[in-house]
Amino acid sequence: MDYEKLAGLLFPAIDKSPEDYEAEYPARELAPGAKVTRLGPSPTGFIHLGNLYGAFVDERLAHQSGGVFYLRIEDTDDKRYVEGAVETVINSLKFFGIDFDEGATMAGDIGAYGDYTQSHRGPIYQCYAKKLVAEGKAYPCFLSEEEITAIRGDQESAKATPGIYGKYAACRDWTLEQVEEAINAGKPYVVRLKSDGVPFVENGPEPKKIHVEDAVRGTLEMPENFQDTVILKATGIPTYHFAHVVDDHLMRTTHVVRGEEWLSSLPIHVELFDKLGWEPPIYCHTAQLMKLDEDGSKRKLSKRKDPELSLEYYRSRGYHPTAVREYLLTILNSNFEEWRMANPDADIDDFEFTTEKMSSSGALFDLNKLNDISKDVLLRIPAAEIYDFLKSWAAEHAPQYSHMFDDRDYMLKILNLGRDDKKPRKDLIYAEQIIDFISYFFDDMFKIEDPMPEEVPSEDVSKILTAYLDSYDHSDDQSQWFDKIRAIATDLGYAAKPKDFKKHPEDYKGHVGHVSTVIRIALMGRSQSPDVWTIQQIFGEERTRARIGGYCH
């Protein structure tokens, strides 16, 4: 077979050589040890936590080493393409603080190693497919769908590994004349890798093994590839296998971070790099994101079952991106929480992220833990920043709450409530929850949510509130204010101290705590809230009197 002639027959329009592209995409001039990483999402319209999880690893590896992190749009599967999905990817990652040094952006590509959209790089892939054909390492395959289905049936009957290889690769050893005849007859074809691997045969020789150093999992030992994998589809579009190998080489990627579901494809990728004469990047196969099911068993986060897999879940509820990033680090690196305890106020970027501290088994995602971490993170963020974040969130996701931000000073007092206490309050978790938590500060959102204490008869409620209004002086300090509540309590037959009521419940209706709860519910609509006196200082005298008076009437 004249492979050079075959390559010319298959790719008559490809006039550039691999050497031309090597010159166009030279080795990057970076400091020793600098890493080049990429995120390569498919524009399917669904950007999920796994994308962010991987992106965070990419970003840390590149930026901590003084390297480059770029965004590549991997859209070779045109059946899955969704209009507007690229914009969704870019905007979502930007929201969560993932900053790219180069790659696809809303305004076009940035960087010298583009085009960063795979569907725009067709001639490059065809050039390298032509090279493989010319070297006898790839071939055109004219098998129809019906023929492939029949082969699958034969393989099932023989209990053989499915795929096109060995005796099932009917076009592998065709002559040039056979290929020309098929092309002249207009028969569609794909281009397949001509693998050197040998399939496993019972009682046959042991298949060769490959050894790959994975930055997360250590040395991987796997059977070599023996499949004649498709590298170019009949449309001339490359498969993921081929496109990512070519692009990772030309864009000079040093580390590829991807999910463990790609482990089974690793032998194919190793063989492709070998056939093309290139050094493969260092692969980092991350653990799948898992969750505990209702019965306590671990399972993979599911697009169908788990809304929290989608990044839109966190954006629409208003989780602060800093909290999400902080939480992801706790499941990415086993030593992060220990570091955070030792460095409570340090910037998250000061933490030295390493692939060695990543789990190779399932990474357990826990929404409750995210909420706990979010409380701590928001406590470290100034109220003015939280105000801006909430205002922006409301404008995009809940415009009905935009009026809450009309009086900035009032809102800042609310957001600062209890944050500077000796034991700071941690009431704020995410925007949707915060809006609900502070809603009683706004008259149009105020509602009575809890019943009055059982220990207080209904006739005593108005007596307590009337006496409270009569004695109320907005200038009282906290001690003076509470002394007046204690006096109201004792006048109406309640113990001045809870311990007195506990010792002699028969002597009292209840205790001062029950009386103050009546006032709390009249003011806030809830039996649990931050300090009442402090809340009244934020309300101001007019609103305080109006709330109490409104309940009385």
Side-chain angles (χ1 to χ4, degrees), residues 468 476-489 496-498 512-513 515-517 519-520 531-533:
Y468 185 71
D476 282 345
D477 64 24
Q478 196 160 16
S479 177
Q480 292 168 321
W481 165 80
F482 194 69
D483 283 345
K484 288 180 178 179
I485 294 177
R486 191 176 278 121
I488 293 168
K497 296 176 181 177
V512 67
V515 172
S516 62
T517 297
I519 296 163
R520 189 187 299 272
D531 178 67
V532 176
W533 179 84

Side-chain angles (χ1 to χ4, degrees), residues 329-397:
L329 264 183
T330 68
I331 55 177
L332 278 168
N333 260 194
S334 57
N335 59 328
F336 176 75
E337 288 180 85
E338 188 182 325
W339 175 85
R340 175 52 82 197
M341 285 176 71
N343 303 276
D345 301 317
D347 189 293
I348 195 172
D349 290 345
D350 293 344
F351 173 71
E352 190 178 343
F353 175 85
T354 61
T355 52
E356 290 82 6
K357 292 289 185 181
M358 290 180 69
S359 169
S360 58
S361 57
L364 190 60
F365 180 80
D366 182 349
L367 200 57
N368 290 329
K369 188 168 182 184
L370 168 60
N371 288 340
D372 286 341
I373 285 172
S374 190
K375 291 175 186 178
D376 289 327
V377 168
L378 291 185
L379 195 59
R380 295 196 296 268
I381 296 175
E385 255 183 68
I386 297 176
Y387 169 88
D388 292 339
F389 173 73
L390 291 174
K391 185 178 181 182
S392 173
W393 173 83
E396 184 177 353
H397 297 282

Side-chain angles (χ1 to χ4, degrees), residues 152-161 167-168:
R152 278 201 204 104
D154 291 345
Q155 289 169 336
E156 280 177 25
S157 300
K159 295 184 177 174
T161 305
K167 67 179 183 180
Y168 302 109

Side-chain angles (χ1 to χ4, degrees), residues 148-222:
I148 290 173
T149 301
I151 288 169
R152 278 201 204 104
D154 291 345
Q155 289 169 336
E156 280 177 25
S157 300
K159 295 184 177 174
T161 305
I164 302 302
Y165 59 89
K167 67 179 183 180
Y168 302 109
C171 306
R172 183 180 172 118
D173 297 316
W174 273 18
T175 63
L176 189 60
E177 290 71 26
Q178 284 176 294
V179 173
E180 282 183 304
E181 188 182 330
I183 288 174
N184 291 336
K187 287 188 77 173
Y189 63 89
V190 298
V191 177
R192 290 184 182 274
L193 174 71
K194 189 182 281 187
S195 176
D196 293 329
V198 179
F200 170 75
V201 180
E202 207 163 331
N203 301 321
E206 186 73 20
K208 286 183 187 172
K209 296 284 175 73
I210 61 167
H211 294 86
V212 180
E213 287 302 317
D214 186 287
V216 176
R217 296 162 188 271
T219 304
L220 299 174
E221 183 183 83
M222 311 174 82

Side-chain angles (χ1 to χ4, degrees), residues 10-67:
L10 298 180
F11 301 100
I14 299 301
D15 52 5
K16 272 192 170 184
S17 70
E19 290 72 30
D20 292 329
Y21 288 115
E22 291 295 327
E24 192 176 328
Y25 297 96
R28 294 175 182 266
E29 293 181 10
L30 295 170
K35 298 175 177 68
V36 179
T37 63
R38 49 78 170 169
L39 187 68
S42 299
T44 60
F46 184 73
I47 179 98
H48 58 79
L49 198 63
N51 298 128
L52 184 61
Y53 181 78
F56 204 7
V57 179
D58 283 316
E59 187 268 338
R60 289 289 77 208
L61 290 178
H63 290 161
Q64 282 187 169
S65 64

